[in-house]
Coordinates of all heavy atoms in Angstrom, one line a residue:
M25 N 19.9 6.2 -4.5 CA 19.0 5.2 -4.9 C 19.2 4.9 -6.4 O 19.1 5.7 -7.2 CB 17.6 5.6 -4.6 CG 16.6 4.5 -4.9 SD 14.8 5.0 -4.6 CE 14.8 5.2 -2.9
G26 N 19.5 3.6 -6.6 CA 19.8 3.2 -8.0 C 18.5 2.9 -8.8 O 17.4 2.9 -8.2
I27 N 18.6 2.7 -10.0 CA 17.5 2.5 -10.9 C 16.8 1.2 -10.5 O 15.5 1.0 -10.5 CB 17.9 2.5 -12.4 CG1 16.6 2.5 -13.3 CG2 18.7 1.3 -12.7 CD1 15.9 3.7 -13.3
E28 N 17.5 0.2 -10.0 CA 17.0 -1.1 -9.6 C 16.1 -0.9 -8.4 O 15.0 -1.5 -8.3 CB 18.0 -2.1 -9.3 CG 18.9 -2.5 -10.4 CD 20.1 -1.6 -10.6 OE1 20.4 -0.8 -9.7 OE2 20.8 -1.7 -11.7
S29 N 16.5 0.0 -7.4 CA 15.7 0.2 -6.2 C 14.4 0.9 -6.6 O 13.4 0.6 -6.0 CB 16.6 1.1 -5.3 OG 17.7 0.4 -4.9
I30 N 14.5 1.9 -7.5 CA 13.3 2.6 -7.9 C 12.3 1.6 -8.6 O 11.1 1.7 -8.3 CB 13.7 3.8 -8.9 CG1 14.5 4.8 -8.1 CG2 12.4 4.4 -9.5 CD1 15.1 5.9 -8.9
L31 N 12.8 0.7 -9.4 CA 12.0 -0.2 -10.1 C 11.3 -1.2 -9.1 O 10.1 -1.4 -9.2 CB 12.7 -1.1 -11.1 CG 13.1 -0.3 -12.4 CD1 14.0 -1.2 -13.3 CD2 11.8 0.0 -13.2
V32 N 12.0 -1.6 -8.1 CA 11.5 -2.5 -7.1 C 10.4 -1.7 -6.3 O 9.3 -2.2 -6.0 CB 12.6 -3.1 -6.1 CG1 12.0 -3.7 -4.9 CG2 13.4 -4.0 -6.9
F33 N 10.7 -0.5 -5.9 CA 9.8 0.4 -5.2 C 8.5 0.5 -6.0 O 7.4 0.4 -5.4 CB 10.5 1.7 -5.0 CG 9.8 2.6 -4.0 CD1 9.8 2.3 -2.7 CD2 9.3 3.9 -4.4 CE1 9.2 3.1 -1.8 CE2 8.7 4.7 -3.5 CZ 8.7 4.3 -2.2
L34 N 8.5 0.8 -7.3 CA 7.3 0.9 -8.1 C 6.6 -0.4 -8.3 O 5.3 -0.4 -8.2 CB 7.7 1.5 -9.5 CG 8.2 2.9 -9.5 CD1 8.7 3.3 -10.9 CD2 7.2 3.9 -9.0
I35 N 7.3 -1.5 -8.4 CA 6.6 -2.8 -8.6 C 5.9 -3.2 -7.3 O 4.8 -3.6 -7.3 CB 7.7 -3.9 -9.0 CG1 8.1 -3.6 -10.4 CG2 7.1 -5.3 -8.9 CD1 9.2 -4.4 -10.9
V36 N 6.6 -3.0 -6.1 CA 6.0 -3.3 -4.8 C 4.7 -2.4 -4.6 O 3.7 -2.9 -4.2 CB 7.0 -3.1 -3.7 CG1 6.3 -3.1 -2.3 CG2 8.0 -4.2 -3.7
G37 N 4.8 -1.1 -5.0 CA 3.7 -0.2 -4.9 C 2.5 -0.7 -5.8 O 1.4 -0.6 -5.3
A38 N 2.8 -1.1 -7.0 CA 1.8 -1.5 -7.9 C 1.1 -2.8 -7.4 O -0.1 -2.9 -7.4 CB 2.4 -1.7 -9.3
V39 N 1.9 -3.7 -7.0 CA 1.3 -5.0 -6.5 C 0.5 -4.7 -5.2 O -0.7 -5.2 -5.1 CB 2.4 -6.0 -6.2 CG1 1.8 -7.2 -5.5 CG2 3.0 -6.4 -7.5
A40 N 1.0 -3.9 -4.3 CA 0.2 -3.6 -3.1 C -1.0 -2.9 -3.4 O -2.1 -3.2 -2.8 CB 1.1 -2.8 -2.1
G41 N -1.0 -1.9 -4.2 CA -2.2 -1.2 -4.6 C -3.2 -2.0 -5.3 O -4.4 -1.9 -5.0
W42 N -2.8 -2.9 -6.1 CA -3.7 -3.8 -6.8 C -4.3 -4.8 -5.9 O -5.6 -5.0 -5.9 CB -2.9 -4.6 -7.9 CG -3.7 -5.7 -8.6 CD1 -4.7 -5.5 -9.5 CD2 -3.5 -7.1 -8.4 NE1 -5.2 -6.7 -9.9 CE2 -4.5 -7.7 -9.2 CE3 -2.7 -7.8 -7.7 CZ2 -4.6 -9.1 -9.3 CZ3 -2.8 -9.2 -7.7 CH2 -3.8 -9.8 -8.5
L43 N -3.5 -5.4 -4.9 CA -4.1 -6.3 -3.9 C -5.1 -5.6 -3.0 O -6.2 -6.1 -2.7 CB -3.0 -6.9 -3.1 CG -2.1 -8.0 -3.8 CD1 -1.0 -8.4 -2.9 CD2 -3.0 -9.2 -4.1
A44 N -4.8 -4.4 -2.6 CA -5.7 -3.6 -1.8 C -7.0 -3.3 -2.5 O -8.0 -3.3 -1.9 CB -5.0 -2.3 -1.3
G45 N -6.9 -3.0 -3.8 CA -8.1 -2.7 -4.6 C -8.9 -3.9 -4.7 O -10.2 -3.8 -4.8
L46 N -8.3 -5.1 -4.8 CA -9.1 -6.4 -4.8 C -9.8 -6.6 -3.4 O -10.9 -7.1 -3.4 CB -8.2 -7.5 -5.2 CG -7.7 -7.6 -6.6 CD1 -6.8 -8.8 -6.8 CD2 -8.9 -7.7 -7.6
I47 N -9.1 -6.4 -2.4 CA -9.6 -6.7 -1.0 C -10.7 -5.7 -0.6 O -11.7 -6.1 -0.1 CB -8.4 -6.7 0.0 CG1 -7.5 -7.9 -0.3 CG2 -9.0 -6.8 1.4 CD1 -6.2 -7.9 0.5
V48 N -10.5 -4.4 -0.9 CA -11.5 -3.4 -0.6 C -12.3 -3.2 -1.9 O -11.9 -2.5 -2.8 CB -10.8 -2.1 -0.1 CG1 -11.9 -1.0 0.1 CG2 -9.9 -2.3 1.1
S49 N -13.4 -3.9 -2.0 CA -14.1 -3.9 -3.2 C -14.6 -2.5 -3.6 O -14.9 -1.7 -2.7 CB -15.3 -4.9 -3.1 OG -16.2 -4.4 -2.1
G50 N -14.7 -2.2 -4.9 CA -15.2 -1.0 -5.3 C -14.1 0.0 -5.6 O -14.4 1.1 -6.1
F51 N -12.8 -0.3 -5.4 CA -11.7 0.5 -5.7 C -10.8 -0.1 -6.7 O -10.4 -1.2 -6.6 CB -10.9 0.8 -4.4 CG -11.6 1.8 -3.5 CD1 -12.4 1.3 -2.5 CD2 -11.5 3.1 -3.7 CE1 -13.0 2.2 -1.6 CE2 -12.1 4.0 -2.8 CZ -12.9 3.5 -1.8
G52 N -10.5 0.7 -7.8 CA -9.6 0.3 -8.8 C -9.1 1.6 -9.4 O -9.9 2.4 -9.9
F53 N -7.8 1.9 -9.4 CA -7.3 3.2 -9.9 C -6.5 3.1 -11.1 O -5.9 4.1 -11.5 CB -6.6 3.8 -8.8 CG -7.4 4.1 -7.5 CD1 -7.2 3.4 -6.4 CD2 -8.4 5.2 -7.6 CE1 -8.0 3.7 -5.3 CE2 -9.1 5.4 -6.5 CZ -9.0 4.7 -5.3
G54 N -6.3 1.9 -11.7 CA -5.4 1.8 -12.8 C -4.0 1.6 -12.3 O -3.7 1.7 -11.1
L55 N -3.1 1.5 -13.2 CA -1.7 1.2 -12.9 C -1.0 2.3 -12.1 O -0.5 2.1 -11.0 CB -0.8 0.9 -14.1 CG 0.6 0.6 -13.9 CD1 0.8 -0.6 -13.1 CD2 1.4 0.5 -15.2
I56 N -1.1 3.6 -12.5 CA -0.5 4.7 -11.8 C -1.2 4.9 -10.5 O -0.5 5.1 -9.5 CB -0.6 6.0 -12.7 CG1 0.1 5.8 -14.0 CG2 0.0 7.2 -11.9 CD1 1.6 5.5 -13.9
G57 N -2.5 4.8 -10.4 CA -3.2 5.0 -9.2 C -2.9 3.9 -8.2 O -2.7 4.2 -7.0
N58 N -2.8 2.6 -8.7 CA -2.4 1.5 -7.8 C -1.0 1.7 -7.2 O -0.7 1.4 -6.0 CB -2.5 0.2 -8.5 CG -3.9 -0.3 -8.7 OD1 -4.8 0.2 -8.1 ND2 -4.0 -1.2 -9.6
I59 N -0.1 2.2 -8.0 CA 1.3 2.5 -7.5 C 1.2 3.6 -6.4 O 1.9 3.4 -5.4 CB 2.2 2.9 -8.7 CG1 2.5 1.7 -9.6 CG2 3.5 3.5 -8.2 CD1 3.2 2.1 -10.9
V60 N 0.5 4.6 -6.7 CA 0.4 5.7 -5.7 C -0.2 5.2 -4.4 O 0.3 5.5 -3.3 CB -0.4 6.9 -6.3 CG1 -0.7 7.9 -5.2 CG2 0.4 7.5 -7.4
V61 N -1.3 4.4 -4.5 CA -2.0 3.9 -3.3 C -1.1 2.9 -2.6 O -1.0 3.0 -1.3 CB -3.3 3.1 -3.7 CG1 -3.8 2.3 -2.6 CG2 -4.4 4.1 -4.2
G62 N -0.3 2.1 -3.3 CA 0.6 1.2 -2.6 C 1.8 1.9 -1.9 O 2.2 1.6 -0.8
I63 N 2.3 3.0 -2.6 CA 3.4 3.7 -2.0 C 2.9 4.5 -0.7 O 3.5 4.5 0.3 CB 4.0 4.7 -3.0 CG1 4.8 3.8 -4.0 CG2 5.0 5.7 -2.3 CD1 5.3 4.6 -5.2
V64 N 1.7 5.2 -0.8 CA 1.2 5.9 0.3 C 0.8 4.9 1.4 O 1.1 5.1 2.6 CB -0.1 6.7 -0.1 CG1 -0.8 7.3 1.1 CG2 0.3 7.8 -1.1
G65 N 0.3 3.7 1.0 CA 0.1 2.7 2.0 C 1.3 2.2 2.7 O 1.3 1.9 3.9
A66 N 2.4 2.1 2.0 CA 3.7 1.7 2.6 C 4.1 2.8 3.7 O 4.6 2.4 4.7 CB 4.8 1.6 1.6
F67 N 3.9 4.1 3.4 CA 4.2 5.1 4.3 C 3.3 5.1 5.5 O 3.8 5.2 6.7 CB 4.1 6.5 3.7 CG 5.3 6.8 2.8 CD1 5.1 7.1 1.5 CD2 6.6 6.9 3.3 CE1 6.2 7.4 0.6 CE2 7.6 7.3 2.5 CZ 7.5 7.5 1.2
I68 N 2.0 4.8 5.3 CA 1.1 4.7 6.5 C 1.5 3.5 7.4 O 1.6 3.7 8.6 CB -0.3 4.5 5.9 CG1 -0.8 5.8 5.3 CG2 -1.3 4.1 7.1 CD1 -2.2 5.7 4.6
A69 N 1.7 2.3 6.8 CA 2.1 1.2 7.5 C 3.5 1.4 8.2 O 3.7 0.9 9.3 CB 2.1 -0.1 6.7
G70 N 4.4 2.0 7.5 CA 5.7 2.3 8.0 C 5.7 3.2 9.2 O 6.5 3.1 10.1
F71 N 4.7 4.1 9.3 CA 4.5 4.9 10.5 C 3.7 4.2 11.6 O 4.1 4.2 12.8 CB 3.8 6.2 10.1 CG 3.4 7.0 11.3 CD1 4.4 7.8 12.0 CD2 2.1 7.1 11.7 CE1 4.0 8.6 13.1 CE2 1.7 7.9 12.8 CZ 2.7 8.6 13.5
L72 N 2.7 3.4 11.2 CA 1.8 2.8 12.2 C 2.3 1.6 12.8 O 2.2 1.4 14.0 CB 0.5 2.5 11.4 CG -0.7 1.9 12.3 CD1 -1.1 3.0 13.3 CD2 -1.8 1.5 11.4
F73 N 3.0 0.7 12.0 CA 3.4 -0.6 12.6 C 4.5 -0.4 13.7 O 4.4 -1.1 14.7 CB 3.9 -1.5 11.5 CG 2.8 -2.2 10.7 CD1 1.5 -1.9 10.9 CD2 3.1 -3.0 9.7 CE1 0.5 -2.5 10.2 CE2 2.2 -3.6 8.9 CZ 0.8 -3.4 9.2
P74 N 5.5 0.4 13.5 CA 6.5 0.5 14.6 C 5.9 1.2 15.8 O 6.3 0.9 17.0 CB 7.6 1.4 14.0 CG 7.5 1.2 12.5 CD 6.0 1.0 12.3
A75 N 4.9 2.0 15.6 CA 4.3 2.7 16.8 C 3.5 1.7 17.7 O 3.4 1.9 18.9 CB 3.3 3.8 16.3
I76 N 3.0 0.7 17.1 CA 2.3 -0.3 17.9 C 3.1 -1.6 18.1 O 2.6 -2.6 18.7 CB 0.9 -0.7 17.3 CG1 1.0 -1.2 15.8 CG2 0.0 0.5 17.3 CD1 -0.3 -1.6 15.2
G77 N 4.3 -1.6 17.6 CA 5.3 -2.7 17.9 C 5.1 -3.9 17.0 O 5.5 -5.0 17.4
I78 N 4.7 -3.7 15.8 CA 4.6 -4.9 14.8 C 5.7 -4.8 13.9 O 6.0 -3.8 13.3 CB 3.2 -4.8 14.1 CG1 2.1 -4.9 15.0 CG2 3.2 -5.9 13.0 CD1 0.7 -4.8 14.4
S79 N 6.4 -6.0 13.7 CA 7.4 -6.1 12.7 C 7.1 -7.3 11.8 O 6.9 -8.4 12.3 CB 8.8 -6.3 13.4 OG 9.8 -6.5 12.4
L80 N 7.2 -7.1 10.5 CA 6.9 -8.2 9.5 C 8.1 -8.8 8.9 O 8.0 -9.7 8.1 CB 6.0 -7.7 8.4 CG 4.6 -7.2 8.8 CD1 3.9 -6.6 7.6 CD2 3.8 -8.3 9.4
G81 N 9.3 -8.3 9.3 CA 10.5 -8.8 8.7 C 11.0 -8.0 7.6 O 10.7 -6.9 7.4
T82 N 11.9 -8.7 6.8 CA 12.5 -8.0 5.6 C 12.2 -8.8 4.4 O 11.8 -9.9 4.4 CB 14.0 -7.8 5.9 OG1 14.6 -9.1 6.0 CG2 14.3 -7.0 7.1
G83 N 12.5 -8.2 3.2 CA 12.4 -8.8 2.0 C 11.2 -8.3 1.2 O 10.4 -7.5 1.6
I84 N 11.1 -8.8 -0.1 CA 10.1 -8.3 -1.0 C 8.7 -8.7 -0.5 O 7.8 -7.9 -0.6 CB 10.4 -8.8 -2.4 CG1 11.7 -8.3 -3.0 CG2 9.2 -8.5 -3.4 CD1 11.7 -6.9 -3.5
L85 N 8.6 -9.9 -0.1 CA 7.2 -10.4 0.3 C 6.7 -9.6 1.5 O 5.5 -9.2 1.5 CB 7.3 -11.9 0.6 CG 5.9 -12.5 0.9 CD1 4.9 -12.4 -0.2 CD2 6.1 -14.0 1.2
S86 N 7.6 -9.4 2.5 CA 7.1 -8.6 3.6 C 6.8 -7.2 3.3 O 5.9 -6.6 3.8 CB 8.1 -8.7 4.8 OG 9.3 -8.0 4.4
A87 N 7.6 -6.6 2.3 CA 7.3 -5.3 1.8 C 6.0 -5.2 1.1 O 5.2 -4.2 1.3 CB 8.4 -4.8 0.9
I88 N 5.6 -6.2 0.4 CA 4.3 -6.2 -0.3 C 3.2 -6.3 0.7 O 2.2 -5.6 0.6 CB 4.3 -7.4 -1.4 CG1 5.2 -7.0 -2.5 CG2 2.8 -7.6 -1.8 CD1 5.4 -8.2 -3.5
I89 N 3.4 -7.2 1.7 CA 2.3 -7.4 2.7 C 2.2 -6.1 3.5 O 1.1 -5.6 3.8 CB 2.7 -8.6 3.6 CG1 2.6 -9.9 2.9 CG2 1.8 -8.6 4.9 CD1 3.2 -11.1 3.6
H90 N 3.3 -5.5 3.9 CA 3.4 -4.3 4.6 C 2.6 -3.2 3.9 O 1.7 -2.5 4.4 CB 4.8 -3.9 4.9 CG 5.1 -2.8 5.7 ND1 5.4 -1.5 5.3 CD2 5.2 -2.7 7.1 CE1 5.6 -0.7 6.3 NE2 5.5 -1.4 7.4
S91 N 3.0 -3.0 2.6 CA 2.3 -2.0 1.8 C 0.9 -2.2 1.5 O 0.1 -1.3 1.5 CB 3.1 -1.9 0.4 OG 4.4 -1.5 0.6
T92 N 0.5 -3.5 1.4 CA -0.9 -3.8 1.1 C -1.7 -3.5 2.3 O -2.8 -3.0 2.2 CB -1.0 -5.3 0.8 OG1 -0.2 -5.6 -0.4 CG2 -2.5 -5.7 0.5
I93 N -1.3 -3.8 3.5 CA -2.0 -3.5 4.7 C -2.2 -2.0 4.9 O -3.3 -1.5 5.2 CB -1.4 -4.1 6.0 CG1 -1.4 -5.6 5.9 CG2 -2.0 -3.6 7.3 CD1 -0.6 -6.3 7.0
G94 N -1.2 -1.2 4.6 CA -1.3 0.2 4.7 C -2.2 0.8 3.6 O -3.0 1.7 3.9
A95 N -2.2 0.2 2.4 CA -3.1 0.6 1.3 C -4.5 0.3 1.7 O -5.4 1.1 1.3 CB -2.7 0.0 0.0
I96 N -4.8 -0.9 2.3 CA -6.1 -1.2 2.7 C -6.6 -0.2 3.7 O -7.8 0.3 3.7 CB -6.2 -2.6 3.3 CG1 -6.0 -3.6 2.2 CG2 -7.5 -2.9 4.1 CD1 -5.7 -5.1 2.7
I97 N -5.8 0.2 4.7 CA -6.1 1.2 5.7 C -6.5 2.5 4.9 O -7.5 3.2 5.2 CB -5.0 1.4 6.7 CG1 -4.8 0.2 7.6 CG2 -5.2 2.7 7.5 CD1 -3.6 0.2 8.4
L98 N -5.6 2.9 4.0 CA -5.9 4.1 3.2 C -7.2 4.1 2.5 O -8.0 5.0 2.5 CB -4.7 4.3 2.2 CG -4.9 5.5 1.2 CD1 -4.9 6.8 2.0 CD2 -3.8 5.5 0.2
L99 N -7.5 3.0 1.8 CA -8.8 2.8 1.0 C -10.0 2.8 1.9 O -11.0 3.4 1.6 CB -8.7 1.6 0.2 CG -7.7 1.6 -1.0 CD1 -7.8 0.3 -1.7 CD2 -8.0 2.8 -1.9
V100 N -9.9 2.2 3.1 CA -11.0 2.2 4.1 C -11.2 3.7 4.6 O -12.4 4.1 4.7 CB -10.7 1.2 5.2 CG1 -11.7 1.4 6.4 CG2 -10.8 -0.2 4.7
L101 N -10.1 4.4 4.8 CA -10.3 5.8 5.3 C -10.9 6.6 4.2 O -11.8 7.5 4.5 CB -8.9 6.3 5.7 CG -8.4 5.8 7.0 CD1 -7.0 6.4 7.2 CD2 -9.3 6.2 8.2
I102 N -10.5 6.4 2.9 CA -11.1 7.1 1.8 C -12.6 6.8 1.7 O -13.4 7.7 1.5 CB -10.4 6.8 0.5 CG1 -9.0 7.4 0.5 CG2 -11.2 7.3 -0.7 CD1 -8.2 7.0 -0.7
R103 N -13.0 5.6 1.9 CA -14.4 5.2 1.8 C -15.2 5.9 2.9 O -16.3 6.4 2.7 CB -14.5 3.7 1.9 CG -16.0 3.3 1.9 CD -16.1 1.8 1.9 NE -15.9 1.3 0.6 CZ -15.7 0.0 0.2 NH1 -15.9 -0.9 1.1 NH2 -15.5 -0.3 -1.0
I104 N -14.6 5.9 4.1 CA -15.3 6.6 5.3 C -15.5 8.0 5.0 O -16.6 8.6 5.3 CB -14.5 6.3 6.6 CG1 -14.6 4.8 7.0 CG2 -15.0 7.2 7.7 CD1 -13.7 4.4 8.1
V105 N -14.5 8.7 4.5 CA -14.5 10.1 4.2 C -15.6 10.4 3.1 O -16.3 11.4 3.2 CB -13.2 10.7 3.9 CG1 -13.3 12.1 3.3 CG2 -12.2 10.7 5.1
K106 N -15.6 9.6 2.1 CA -16.6 9.8 1.0 C -18.0 9.6 1.5 O -18.9 10.3 1.0 CB -16.3 8.8 -0.1 CG -15.2 9.2 -1.1 CD -15.2 8.3 -2.2 CE -14.3 8.8 -3.3 NZ -14.3 7.9 -4.5
Q107 N -18.3 8.7 2.5 CA -19.6 8.5 3.0 C -20.0 9.6 3.9 O -21.2 9.8 4.1 CB -19.7 7.1 3.7 CG -19.6 6.0 2.7 CD -19.7 4.6 3.4 OE1 -19.6 4.6 4.6 NE2 -19.7 3.6 2.6
A108 N -19.1 10.3 4.5 CA -19.5 11.3 5.5 C -20.0 12.6 4.9 O -19.9 12.9 3.8 CB -18.2 11.6 6.4

């Protein structure tokens, strides 16, 4: 993995985490936290979407959408666990 790939990975994670934080109100983790939430969200969506047969395509935009949906799922799960 080259430096360009790592930078794209981090930027997509940051954007996805930021968007998920906006959509799921009450969550904001700063730059590093947003990157982590976005990357973990991408792993969640990467596991979940193929299992249920959903494909969003390829490219940066679909990666951001994919990661954002996974990050939203992660933040909702965190909220549920905190309330329990």
Side-chain angles (χ1 to χ4, degrees):
M25 183 181 293
I27 191 73
E28 296 89 9
S29 298
I30 294 171
L31 285 174
V32 169
F33 195 64
L34 292 175
I35 290 170
V36 167
V39 171
W42 175 72
L43 286 172
L46 289 178
I47 294 169
V48 179
S49 63
F51 285 94
F53 297 108
L55 181 61
I56 301 298
N58 285 344
I59 291 172
V60 171
V61 167
I63 291 171
V64 172
F67 283 117
I68 290 171
F71 173 74
L72 185 63
F73 284 3
I76 58 176
I78 297 175
S79 176
L80 297 177
T82 60
I84 297 280
L85 185 59
S86 67
I88 291 172
I89 294 169
H90 188 262
S91 299
T92 302
I93 293 170
I96 291 169
I97 292 169
L98 175 66
L99 292 178
V100 168
L101 289 175
I102 289 172
R103 179 176 283 173
I104 291 170
V105 170
K106 278 187 168 181
Q107 289 179 352

